[in-house]
Amino acid sequence: MNVERMDFSYEISDERLLAYSQLPLLDRLRWLDEVRQFTLMVRQAPIVDREQTIAKS
């Protein structure tokens, strides 16, 4: 099984950071919890071999 790890990056504009900082505290905490849950789901997802996935298509 040849599984390669893919790097990921994401940039947030200054405008979005400013908008986020102006949200009420409860909304910021909700957003942060959604990101936390998503990150945990991705970490628990099974590893997929891209070559096998392409071959099945």
Side-chain angles (χ1 to χ4, degrees):
M1 178 189 255
N2 181 16
V3 178
E4 60 186 75
R5 188 166 187 90
M6 297 178 67
D7 289 331
F8 179 81
S9 66
Y10 182 76
E11 293 185 25
I12 300 175
S13 68
D14 291 342
E15 292 82 18
R16 290 205 53 191
L17 287 173
L18 182 59
Y20 174 79
S21 70
Q22 294 173 349
L23 289 174
L25 179 59
L26 189 56
D27 289 338
R28 285 186 276 167
L29 289 173
R30 282 189 188 123
W31 181 85
L32 187 60
D33 188 52
E34 289 174 8
V35 171
R36 179 192 65 82
Q37 289 179 30
F38 175 78
T39 302
L40 289 174
M41 286 189 308
V42 170
R43 285 183 167 184
Q44 294 172 0
I47 296 174
V48 176
D49 186 350
R50 285 185 2 190
E51 292 175 10
Q52 287 182 352
T53 304
I54 293 171
K56 290 180 183 179
S57 304

